[in-house]
Amino acid sequence: MKGIAASTIVLIGAVITPLNPNIGLLLVLIGMFLNKKSTREKVFNDATAIERMMGKTDLQQ
């Protein structure tokens, strides 16, 4: 849910930027700051990017 809110703020900032660059870019920066990722859970065991793309690996439950 946090990502959706951050994406909305970035989109609004991108629309406002041609009208007022300072406020638009400030909104984009705030949205990017809010979208900062925390520690990610380990979903794949030991698989390369190619193996994950091809579906050759198991997901960790």
Side-chain angles (χ1 to χ4, degrees):
M1 294 304 273
K2 187 174 71 169
I4 294 171
S7 297
T8 304
I9 293 171
V10 170
L11 180 63
I12 292 169
V15 170
I16 292 176
T17 298
L19 302 173
N20 190 341
N22 290 333
I23 293 176
L25 292 176
L26 178 66
L27 286 175
V28 170
L29 181 65
I30 290 170
M32 291 176 65
F33 179 74
L34 290 176
N35 197 30
K36 183 174 57 170
K37 304 283 184 204
S38 58
T39 58
R40 297 179 183 219
E41 63 179 302
K42 188 168 176 76
V43 177
F44 297 103
N45 294 328
D46 292 322
T48 64
I50 300 294
E51 290 173 342
R52 291 192 306 250
M53 186 177 72
M54 300 299 278
K56 295 181 179 179
T57 183
D58 296 341
L59 293 176
Q60 185 177 12
Q61 300 290 335

